[in-house]
Amino acid sequence: MSAHAPSVAPAATDKPAGRPLSRGWFGGLAVLLVLAIVSVFTGVSDLSPVDFLTGTATDRQWLHLLASRVPRTVAVLLAGASLALSGLLMQLLVRNRFVEPGTVGTSESAGVGILIAVMVFPTAPLVVKMVIAIVTALIGTALFLRLVRSLPPKAPVVAVPLIGIMLAGVIAAGTTFVAYRFDLMQTIGIWMQGDFSGVLRGRYEMLWLLAGMGLLLWLFADRFTLASLGQDHARALGLSYKATLNLGLALVATSSAITLVVVGGIGFVGLVVPNLITLWRGDNLRRNIGWTALAGSGFVLVCDLMSRTLNAPYEVPVGTVSGVLGGIVFLGLLLTGRMRTQ
């Protein structure tokens, strides 16, 4: 992406770093831990923490706890952190606060990979479907960047997300058409719908790859920050701009595809959470990584708890809940002027 691409420039001031481990950080971890414990013991099956603490839990209760509730909670935490970090990195590299993998065609491109896998390799293991989804997500992200580079230097800020939304719409329409022709609409709908109800032991473990993605983001945080200054500035500072940009977008596409394949699409996490964190703490990527992951996990965990309790004993898709909550927060940011649109 050229240095003249339309962007939302980083904030003029950056808030003081403070101590690396502040009381606020420990407080955030404590809140997340409480939410995780509540998540483990929330559901249709009767699981009480008292039974496990007193040693009166049955073998059936232990099986349900270890095979369903704990994997589901871990999956929620990993997926939420990954989605938020993907949004944070994409906004930094594209230099626009209005983008995330779900608004630039990355998630929809991963859906194309799922469709191809279902049609061509219907009995293939989940890892094969994941690899195909990663490849198509990378292609879709590269296509988005190519379109963005074609914009004039003085194009409005909202032009970038508008291109992404239109690209995502075209890709989604093509996927729907092919799925309809081959009677795969219901199958694709199940894959694309964000839902943790099917997460069980033996099915969610690939989400641990997202932790590796987060580690790579932390290791290369300074390089990504330099790349966000633009091609000319990055090269002047001795950075391989193109390689760094490709690495960052590969991390975004890979994380998005893994999340989509395992738990489905969950919108607004990568859009709302990074914006809230940068408004609060400034634009220092390395300092914001931990807080963004923490807030992303907490946001999705709250959405998952609401999905299980709003219409109990039935579940509302997590993607629906996150769409409503995230949409309200994002609309509030726009109406209050916290996010510039020009």
Side-chain angles (χ1 to χ4, degrees), residues 75 110 113-118 121-135 187 190-192 195 198-209 254 257-264:
I114 293 176
L115 177 62
I116 294 173
V118 170
F121 310 104
T123 59
L126 193 62
V127 65
V128 174
K129 295 181 174 67
M130 183 184 71
V131 171
I132 297 174
I134 290 174
V135 172
T187 302
I190 293 173
W191 277 98
M192 298 296 291
D195 188 12
V199 173
L200 298 170
R201 185 173 58 193
R203 180 177 171 81
Y204 83 102
E205 282 78 5
M206 283 190 298
L207 287 177
W208 285 108
L209 294 173
T254 302
I258 292 173
T259 305
L260 186 70
V261 168
V262 179
V263 299

Side-chain angles (χ1 to χ4, degrees), residues 4-332:
H4 301 292
S7 66
V8 174
T13 59
D14 203 4
K15 300 186 181 180
R19 290 177 298 177
L21 295 177
S22 63
R23 292 182 180 179
W25 174 252
F26 286 116
L29 284 176
V31 171
L32 187 65
L33 178 61
V34 171
L35 288 173
I37 294 174
V38 173
S39 173
V40 168
F41 293 101
T42 299
V44 177
S45 299
D46 185 18
L47 295 183
S48 172
V50 176
D51 294 336
F52 293 94
L53 292 174
T54 58
T56 58
T58 64
D59 291 341
R60 183 182 181 84
Q61 287 177 311
W62 275 107
L63 177 63
H64 193 79
L65 178 73
L66 299 178
S68 177
R69 295 287 179 82
V70 171
R72 175 171 183 154
T73 301
V74 172
V76 170
L77 296 174
L78 291 173
S82 175
L83 289 170
L85 290 176
S86 295
L88 178 68
L89 181 56
M90 177 162 277
Q91 289 171 16
L92 183 75
L93 294 178
V94 182
R95 301 172 67 198
N96 193 292
R97 300 294 190 204
F98 295 90
V99 298
E100 68 150 347
T103 61
V104 302
T106 300
S107 299
E108 286 75 13
S109 299
V112 173
I114 293 176
L115 177 62
I116 294 173
V118 170
M119 292 176 58
V120 182
F121 310 104
T123 59
L126 193 62
V127 65
V128 174
K129 295 181 174 67
M130 183 184 71
V131 171
I132 297 174
I134 290 174
V135 172
T136 55
L138 289 169
I139 295 173
T141 306
L143 178 59
F144 165 73
L145 283 180
R146 193 164 196 81
L147 292 173
V148 169
R149 289 187 183 125
S150 302
L151 286 172
K154 294 184 179 180
V157 170
V158 293
V160 175
L162 283 177
I163 284 181
I165 291 171
M166 287 187 288
L167 176 62
V170 171
I171 295 174
T175 303
T176 301
F177 174 77
V178 175
Y180 180 80
R181 289 292 302 271
F182 290 90
D183 197 23
L184 293 172
M185 284 296 297
Q186 185 175 5
T187 302
I188 294 300
I190 293 173
W191 277 98
M192 298 296 291
Q193 187 178 61
D195 188 12
F196 291 95
S197 61
V199 173
L200 298 170
R201 185 173 58 193
R203 180 177 171 81
Y204 83 102
E205 282 78 5
M206 283 190 298
L207 287 177
W208 285 108
L209 294 173
L210 300 177
M213 300 293 107
L215 178 60
L216 288 175
L217 173 58
W218 183 82
L219 291 174
F220 290 92
D222 295 333
R223 292 177 178 267
F224 294 141
T225 300
L226 291 178
S228 70
L229 298 176
Q231 183 171 343
D232 295 338
H233 288 85
R235 286 181 174 175
L237 294 170
L239 180 72
S240 177
Y241 175 79
K242 188 177 238 182
T244 304
L245 183 65
N246 290 337
L247 173 62
L249 295 175
L251 289 178
V252 171
T254 302
S255 300
S256 301
I258 292 173
T259 305
L260 186 70
V261 168
V262 179
V263 299
I266 304 173
F268 280 99
V269 182
L271 184 63
V272 171
V273 173
N275 275 295
L276 291 175
I277 296 299
T278 52
L279 284 172
W280 172 38
R281 294 180 59 83
D283 293 281
N284 188 309
L285 175 62
R286 184 176 295 279
R287 201 175 72 243
N288 288 344
I289 288 175
W291 278 106
T292 302
L294 190 69
S297 296
F299 180 79
V300 178
L301 194 53
V302 169
C303 292
D304 184 55
L305 287 170
M306 292 179 65
S307 74
R308 282 184 271 177
T309 56
L310 286 175
N311 194 32
Y314 306 101
E315 287 194 23
V316 179
V318 177
T320 301
V321 178
S322 69
V324 173
L325 290 182
I328 292 173
V329 174
F330 188 67
L331 185 61

